[in-house]
Amino acid sequence: ESLLLTLYGVAILSAGFTGLLSFSLLAVAIGSDFWYIINVNNHTGPDDLSSHSGLWRIIEAAVICFMAAQIEDPSTSNLLLPTVVVIMLPLSLVLLVFGWIFGFVSSLVRIPRMLVGSASYILFCLFTLTGLLVYIQYCNQAMEDFKQVVSLENLTTVDVSFGWSFAIAWLSYSLEVTSSLLLMLAARITQMKHCYDSGMAML
């Protein structure tokens, strides 16, 4: 029984830590400006055309002038993120808070169904995953549109990549899943303890 209690404690503490870390990383990702990085090489003009952007703003936007000059219709440059991304990711932060609260309450009462419910809530709140997938699709489509209107010579000077903000957002999602699985483990341990206590009571 003491071993089960120890395992339960470790699972709950680990779930709480990963949940808190997931929230922190996602908050940092949302607030930082290195989701998408554009480097313009072999440029000899006075302006630095390289740029990096977050969900809310674009830094060193001289690159935007460079791109817009190559595009007949400026709207095809896709410089503004879809509303769905900037809504879903902050909303995911709020849902993580509720998930952390539900998980904490469930861990105190030690009811397997509540623990499973908390774990399922975190696991199936796919706002973070959906937001990231939409962001990838959006950026890929924007780049495809850019390729359609830019000459091959200019295109070879542009290097685009996802930045560290995007990477830690994915790490945050992986920690969400980990936290959910740990709560599932805690629920299983609680069930085993109940069975053990029932068996001891019958002796």
Side-chain angles (χ1 to χ4, degrees), residues 100-159:
W100 197 90
I101 294 173
F102 294 156
F104 178 73
V105 173
S106 301
S107 67
L108 292 179
V109 297
R110 297 184 182 180
I111 298 177
R113 288 185 179 179
M114 288 187 64
L115 287 167
V116 171
S118 299
S120 300
Y121 169 86
I122 296 173
L123 187 62
F124 292 106
C125 281
L126 301 176
F127 285 89
T128 303
L129 177 62
T130 303
L132 291 172
L133 293 178
V134 170
Y135 185 84
I136 292 173
Q137 183 178 9
Y138 172 84
C139 291
N140 289 339
Q141 185 60 51
M143 192 59 193
E144 289 300 319
D145 292 342
F146 183 59
K147 290 178 180 179
Q148 296 296 323
V149 293
V150 177
S151 65
L152 182 60
E153 180 182 355
N154 286 328
L155 188 61
T156 57
T157 67
V158 180
D159 180 36

Side-chain angles (χ1 to χ4, degrees), residues 31-195:
S32 55
D33 298 316
F34 288 87
W35 281 74
Y36 202 66
I37 299 174
I38 302 174
N39 290 318
V40 180
N41 305 312
N42 302 323
H43 176 66
T44 58
D47 296 325
D48 181 11
L49 296 180
S50 297
S51 172
H52 57 91
S53 63
L55 299 180
W56 316 102
R57 60 177 181 168
I58 298 172
I59 308 299
E60 298 174 6
V63 70
I64 304 309
C65 299
F66 171 79
M67 287 187 173
Q70 313 298 324
I71 299 175
E72 296 179 2
D73 180 7
S75 65
T76 60
S77 59
N78 292 308
L79 300 180
L80 297 178
L81 288 174
T83 304
V84 64
V85 176
V86 296
I87 290 178
M88 285 187 125
L89 293 179
L91 181 59
S92 181
L93 277 179
V94 177
L95 295 176
L96 277 175
V97 172
F98 283 108
W100 197 90
I101 294 173
F102 294 156
F104 178 73
V105 173
S106 301
S107 67
L108 292 179
V109 297
R110 297 184 182 180
I111 298 177
R113 288 185 179 179
M114 288 187 64
L115 287 167
V116 171
S118 299
S120 300
Y121 169 86
I122 296 173
L123 187 62
F124 292 106
C125 281
L126 301 176
F127 285 89
T128 303
L129 177 62
T130 303
L132 291 172
L133 293 178
V134 170
Y135 185 84
I136 292 173
Q137 183 178 9
Y138 172 84
C139 291
N140 289 339
Q141 185 60 51
M143 192 59 193
E144 289 300 319
D145 292 342
F146 183 59
K147 290 178 180 179
Q148 296 296 323
V149 293
V150 177
S151 65
L152 182 60
E153 180 182 355
N154 286 328
L155 188 61
T156 57
T157 67
V158 180
D159 180 36
V160 298
S161 62
F162 293 104
W164 61 263
S165 299
F166 180 78
I168 65 173
W170 272 108
L171 180 58
S172 172
Y173 174 70
S174 67
L175 289 173
E176 283 184 39
V177 175
T178 301
S179 181
S180 176
L181 295 177
L182 286 168
L183 286 176
M184 290 283 192
L185 175 61
R188 178 56 181 165
I189 293 173
T190 302
Q191 289 178 331
M192 293 173 62
K193 185 178 182 303
H194 285 172
C195 292

